[in-house]
Each structure stands twice: as C-alpha cells, then as structure tokens.
Amino acid sequence: MMERNIYNEEHLLFAQSVRDFVAKEIVPYNAQWEKDHMVSRESWLKFGESGFLCMQVAEEYGGLGIQDFRYNAIVTEELARTGCAGPAVGYPLHSDIVCPYIEHYGTEAVKKKWLPKMVSGEAIAAIAMTEPGAGSDLQGMRATAVDKGDYYVVNGSKTFITNGYLSDVVVVAVKTDPTKGAKGISLLVMDTAMKGFTKGKPFEKVGLHAQDTCELFFENVEVPKENLLGKEGEGFKYLMTELSQERLVVALSAIGAAEGALASTVQYTKDRVAFGKPIAELQNTRYKLAEVATEIQIGRVFIDRCVELHCEKKLDQASASMAKYWLTDLQSKAADECLQLHGGYGYIWEYQVARAWADARVQRIYAGTNEIMKELIARSVLK
Ligand SMILES: Cc1cc2nc3c(=O)[nH]c(=O)nc-3n(C[C@H](O)[C@H](O)[C@H](O)COP(=O)(O)OP(=O)(O)OC[C@H]3O[C@@H](n4cnc5c(N)ncnc54)[C@H](O)[C@@H]3O)c2cc1C
C-alpha cells in the first residue's frame, strides 16, 4: 500500500496511543452501549481524561491547545476503524463539530462555563439544526427566539440530534427574525437543564445503535443574551463557515470505517473454507478485495490532501463536499461488498461487517445529504 506522508513520528505515536485506548476502553463495551442506545458517561470521562476530547481548545480553557488538525483526524479515523459507531460519531461531533462554534463565536462567559467541561467529558455537546419540517432546507426552520431584553424566549423543536439524549450543552439554530429567511437565523448555546428544555427518547435506528440520537423540545425556555453566538442574524453564515470541517470529519470517519470493514473481511476470507479451500483463494473474492482496496486507496490519497489543505486553512467548500459525498458512498459500497463476502455471517449483528453495513447508510444522509453536496459542488463547477 502507498506510504502516507501526512503524519510524522509524533502523529504515529499518538495514533498508537488512541488505538490502544480504543481497544481497551471502547471495543469491549460497545455491545452493551448498543443495547443501551448510548455510550456510557464514564466512557466520555475516560476519553476526556486521556486528552482525546477537544484537543484544540486553548490551555486557558482547560484544553491542550493543539492547533494541528491531524491529531483530531487521527482520533476520528481510529474510532471509525473499530466499527464502534456510537463513540466514533459522537466524540468527533462533540470535539470537532460543536466545540468550534463555542470557541470561535462564544462570549467569554460561555467559553469559561462550557469549554473546560467539554474537554474533560463532564459536559456532552450537541448541535441542533434539523427540525421535523426542515432538514436540507434549513432556512425553513421554525424554532423561534424572541428578544425580551436581557434574554430570549425560545420555542420549537429539533429532531435527529446526535448526542441529544446525553447532551448537557446544545448549539441551537433558531429564528430571531422569522421574516428574514437565512438572515433571520441565529445560534444560541442552550444548557439542557434550562427550564422548559426537554428531550425525547433515543430513536430506534437502522444503525448507529449506540448513538443517543433524539428529539429536543423547547417550551418558553429563557436563554440569557450572553448565550448568543456571535451576532444576531449571522447564524447561517457561521454554519456555512464551519460546515466544511463537519464534512471533512464525516469523510474521515467514512474512510476509517471502510478500512476497518476491509481489514475484518480480509481476515474472514482467509479463515472461511468453501469447496476445500479458503474463500480468499477464489477469484471472485480476490477481485472484490482488490477493487475495494483500490478504491479505498484512491479515497485515502484524496482525504489526506483535504486534511493537509484544511491544516493550511485552504480547504474550499466544494472539495469538502466532494470528500463527504464520495467517501461516504465509498464506505457504503465497500461495506456492502465486504458483507457479501461473509455470506450469511455478514448478516449477523455480532460480525463487525454487519454493523459496518448498517452504520454506513446514514453517513450519506446527515451533515448535508449527498444530493446537497452535489448541489454545492455543481455551483462551484458552474461558477
Ligand atoms: C442518525 C442521524 C443523526 C443526525 N444528527 C443530526 C445532528 O446532530 N444535528 C442536526 O441538526 N441534524 C442531524 N441529523 C439530521 C440530518 O442532517 C438530516 O436528516 C439531513 O440534513 C436531511 O434532512 P431531512 O431528513 O429533513 O431530509 P429532506 O431535507 O426532507 O430530504 C429528503 C430527500 O430530498 C433530497 N433533497 C432535499 N433538498 C434537495 C435539493 N435541494 N436538491 C436535491 N435533493 C434534495 C434529500 O437529499 C433527500 O434525499 C441527523 C440525522 C440522522 C438520521
């Protein structure tokens, strides 16, 4: 396989430490978390204690101040490779998707209150954009925040919120001016303990069984003005700015998961015997594995380049969208081919490949559907 050159020796040592942690502290507990529909709080705390959550946060807010996104990328990839999708989706969402909003646009009071706890894992974070009636078309959202002087009164609901059930802090997109479309959207930091804030039960999903995805409801929730992120009416602009990293994170988890599925399938085909020899010796198996490995390698080269560009703050929105769409499609295709090579065992939940197949499906839907990604790419192509 091609040598990767985006990681130096320190990165590789770090990757090994994440791999060791995941093998010891995550893999053995995953089956229980899937039954519970959530990862344990204890696991969040252990992950935080090991320094793997929100590593980029400045030291004054309790973080390590690591400004090299390669470290964040390593955490996402290593989690995804094991096929433990609950933490593999929830932890990077907390660290690399929600945390930047608070770091970049939060008031001093909000940063002081939440960042140290997000670093330690004491506070679990979520982001709530989608509503029952508005997903891709975010401008159609209906949750409102009415200005009452020192505070806003928030009413409405959000759905499909990752980390939702366990969440302590949520970045919520609301309409501060319902007459204005995108320019009427603002982002508020909400404490889930606020009066009038309630949560639904975790959804029964096709995959991501250890993910506590749920609905959130707001009934006359009073949110102090200091919880506004940035300026009123600029929420949509902040979302557009930060979504490139979200797409990159999903693409990284896609390639990690595809690599994990391939590795477990290679082993399976060497062990499984049919017609007197390992199925790895059958021409179809060999060609399928060759095809999947080739596509993963092509994806790997592209995503590594995206990570490099992101570290230089040069990753454009279209390239991030290409990575999200192409790699999540690849993940689904790879998982499907790998499942087929397992025969009936591929359909049995305790096999990593069965979970890989089910967990892959939603990656093409959230963080902007792959159709929306193609829209964004087309806009840049046709510009
Ligand atoms: C497990 C899970 C976790 C999630 N986590 C979060 C989260 O943490 N926070 C959050 O805010 N949301 C989250 N979501 C929501 C997710 O981002 C949305 O489901 C997604 O954006 C699609 O929105 P929708 O479901 O309303 O589908 P719709 O927008 O109704 O789309 C339906 C279909 O129409 C297509 N479509 C819509 N508009 C266009 C267009 N302009 N051009 C072409 N095709 C189009 C879509 O691609 C899709 O195929 C999560 C969803 C799931 C399932």
Side-chain angles (χ1 to χ4, degrees), residues 277-292:
K277 57 184 179 183
I279 58 166
E281 288 178 26
L282 301 170
Q283 190 183 52
N284 176 65
T285 308
R286 302 173 72 79
Y287 287 6
K288 284 292 173 200
L289 291 174
E291 284 167 19
V292 171

Side-chain angles (χ1 to χ4, degrees), residues 331-348:
Q331 177 189 1
S332 275
K333 190 172 152 201
D336 196 69
E337 298 285 17
C338 287
L339 188 151
Q340 187 70 18
L341 291 176
H342 278 69
Y345 293 99
Y347 205 64
I348 303 301

Side-chain angles (χ1 to χ4, degrees), residues 35-333:
K35 288 189 189 118
D36 298 341
H37 294 309
M38 69 191 80
V39 171
S40 71
R41 273 206 176 257
E42 198 190 345
S43 165
W44 279 92
L45 290 171
K46 279 192 190 159
F47 211 63
E49 203 179 297
S50 303
F52 299 146
L53 290 175
C54 308
M55 292 177 291
Q56 72 282 4
V57 165
E59 287 175 36
E60 58 178 310
Y61 301 111
L64 296 170
I66 296 174
Q67 291 302 316
D68 177 354
F69 184 77
R70 289 171 182 83
Y71 286 96
N72 306 55
I74 287 168
V75 172
T76 298
E77 283 180 15
E78 291 301 331
L79 283 166
R81 206 164 278 139
T82 62
C84 298
V89 168
Y91 292 174
L93 177 117
H94 168 97
S95 299
D96 304 326
I97 296 173
V98 187
C99 189
Y101 286 99
I102 297 181
E103 285 179 276
H104 299 160
Y105 311 106
T107 57
E108 199 49 35
V110 160
K111 287 201 248 186
K112 278 204 176 112
K113 177 168 180 187
W114 292 111
L115 290 177
K117 287 186 180 169
M118 285 173 65
V119 170
S120 67
E122 286 162 86
I124 297 171
I127 180 156
M129 298 171 275
T130 309
E131 298 186 359
S136 303
D137 181 13
L138 270 185
Q139 297 185 32
M141 71 174 64
R142 295 174 69 174
T144 53
V146 177
D147 192 337
K148 294 281 181 184
D150 290 348
Y151 59 93
Y152 292 102
V153 171
V154 177
N155 279 289
S157 68
K158 298 286 173 180
T159 194
F160 306 139
I161 306 307
T162 300
N163 293 345
Y165 192 75
L166 285 172
S167 64
D168 303 288
V169 55
V170 188
V171 170
V172 184
V174 289
K175 279 271 172 82
T176 35
D177 187 344
T179 63
K180 276 194 182 151
K183 289 198 172 140
I185 294 176
S186 304
L187 302 180
L188 295 178
V189 172
M190 290 174 73
D191 184 332
T192 60
M194 283 170 169
K195 195 162 169 275
F197 190 128
T198 52
K199 300 167 177 176
K201 286 211 185 94
F203 285 114
E204 300 272 350
K205 303 186 295 299
V206 170
L208 304 189
H209 289 174
Q211 232 307 309
D212 51 312
T213 321
C214 77
E215 282 177 283
L216 304 177
F217 307 97
F218 321 117
E219 199 185 330
N220 295 321
V221 185
E222 293 185 6
V223 181
K225 279 273 175 73
E226 69 180 19
N227 288 28
L228 175 69
L229 290 177
K231 292 192 183 133
E232 203 178 281
E234 299 211 341
F236 197 73
K237 194 173 95 186
Y238 304 147
L239 290 172
M240 293 306 112
T241 310
E242 302 293 332
L243 283 175
S244 282
Q245 179 157 310
E246 172 167 347
R247 286 163 192 157
L248 183 60
V249 169
V250 173
L252 281 162
S253 71
I255 192 108
E259 286 171 347
L262 176 60
S264 70
T265 306
V266 166
Q267 191 54 50
Y268 182 84
T269 59
K270 286 180 183 172
D271 296 341
R272 177 73 177 170
V273 173
F275 299 97
K277 57 184 179 183
I279 58 166
E281 288 178 26
L282 301 170
Q283 190 183 52
N284 176 65
T285 308
R286 302 173 72 79
Y287 287 6
K288 284 292 173 200
L289 291 174
E291 284 167 19
V292 171
T294 304
E295 293 192 25
I296 288 177
Q297 176 134 311
I298 293 167
R300 173 53 73 199
V301 173
F302 179 52
I303 191 76
D304 279 358
R305 181 70 189 129
C306 287
V307 170
E308 276 179 334
L309 286 168
H310 190 57
C311 289
E312 295 165 21
K313 305 214 178 324
K314 288 184 190 156
L315 181 66
D316 62 287
Q317 204 191 47
S319 299
S321 305
M322 287 175 187
K324 194 273 173 182
Y325 128 64
W326 202 79
L327 286 161
T328 57
D329 270 8
L330 169 64
Q331 177 189 1
S332 275
K333 190 172 152 201

